[in-house]
Amino acid sequence: MSAPAPVIAVTTSARSGWRIFPLVALNVWLAGGRARRWGTGRAADLDAVDGLVIGGGDDISPALYGGEVRAEVRLDPARDALERRLAEEALSRGLPVLGICRGAQMLNVALGGTLHADAYAAYPGSRRYRTILPRRIVRACPGTLLAELTRREKMWVNALHTQSVDRLGAGLRIAAFDSGGMVQAIERPAPPLALGVQWHPEHLFYKRQQRRIFGALVQAARAHASGAPATA
């Protein structure tokens, strides 16, 4: 009898989760896992899951990393508090974590890093995009897990974010840049998996290299569920 599919928690916003979660769940299912939606007002017990996806959404409050508040952005303090707690606990437990867009930023903040509240002011050489279509070129750093997973140095990805990683959190390294020097992915070099990508791979499920990101998460979650040693 085959082992049950690992359960992956997926955090979403209360406002847009209804349309985002099914797409992330599809990617998790294609990789052999089973997704469970979490958010503010829903039960969120890490004992019940084998891995965690911190999903995209509104900007993270600068209060979490000592930044300057921008009046024009929409914030969700309740979601900030939930996801920071989950990220910190998952990392301390050795639970595999994938951060998507906002989730990559939260992964960095949970490990003591900071953000650029206005990514494009910090990186004027990075072209501003706001689309789920693959319009931005990013380059994976040689020798990183991301480069190994995607088997690509250069990738076309989408972009919806306004914040970006500034100072790296403890134990993280940069895994990808764009042409303007903006950080586009971060990762923990050693297992268990902790990977954050600034784009939305769930919208790019038709690209094999993007599906491999979810595949790595599910594989790490399966190892966690079985008690096997984590591998990169």
Side-chain angles (χ1 to χ4, degrees):
M1 180 182 297
S2 60
V7 178
I8 310 294
V10 180
T11 65
T12 66
S13 75
R15 181 174 54 86
S16 60
W18 63 272
R19 59 183 173 82
I20 299 299
F21 173 75
L23 197 52
V24 178
L26 170 63
N27 282 270
V28 170
W29 176 77
L30 289 172
R34 183 163 55 92
R36 182 177 297 175
R37 182 182 173 188
W38 283 1
T40 55
R42 293 171 178 259
D45 181 5
L46 288 173
D47 287 333
V49 300
D50 308 304
L52 173 67
V53 173
I54 306 174
D58 296 330
D59 283 7
I60 294 171
S61 172
L64 268 67
Y65 56 89
E68 184 177 341
V69 176
R70 300 170 62 215
E72 68 271 23
V73 302
R74 179 163 40 198
L75 303 175
D76 188 343
R79 186 181 177 193
D80 285 346
L82 171 67
E83 290 183 337
R84 184 170 189 173
R85 174 182 69 82
L86 290 173
E88 290 174 346
E89 290 183 8
L91 290 164
S92 68
R93 292 179 180 211
L95 206 66
V97 181
L98 171 63
I100 296 175
C101 196
R102 166 196 164 92
Q105 298 155 10
M106 183 59 76
L107 178 62
N108 191 57
V109 168
L111 287 168
T114 61
L115 306 176
H116 292 295
D118 185 342
Y120 296 97
Y123 294 96
S126 294
R127 185 171 177 180
R128 185 186 293 267
Y129 291 104
R130 191 158 186 84
T131 176
I132 62 171
L133 300 176
R135 297 285 303 280
R136 166 169 284 155
I137 297 175
V138 301
R139 293 186 181 275
C141 300
T144 59
L145 172 64
L146 179 67
E148 180 184 340
L149 288 177
T150 60
R151 304 174 192 174
R152 295 284 190 280
E153 177 191 355
K154 184 174 76 173
M155 293 178 285
W156 288 88
V157 301
N158 49 33
L160 295 170
H161 62 94
T162 55
Q163 295 178 306
S164 67
V165 169
D166 182 8
R167 189 183 72 243
L168 282 173
L172 294 174
R173 67 182 176 189
I174 296 170
F177 292 98
D178 70 7
S179 59
M182 188 187 298
V183 175
Q184 292 294 325
I186 55 176
E187 65 182 36
R188 184 165 51 188
L193 179 79
L195 172 64
V197 296
Q198 193 65 79
W199 60 92
H200 286 262
E202 72 274 21
H203 287 287
L204 302 172
F205 59 88
Y206 50 88
K207 290 179 172 285
R208 185 177 301 173
Q209 78 269 24
Q210 300 300 317
R211 294 200 303 273
R212 290 192 185 111
I213 293 173
F214 288 96
L217 173 70
V218 171
Q219 180 180 1
R222 184 175 288 113
H224 182 274
S226 69
T231 58

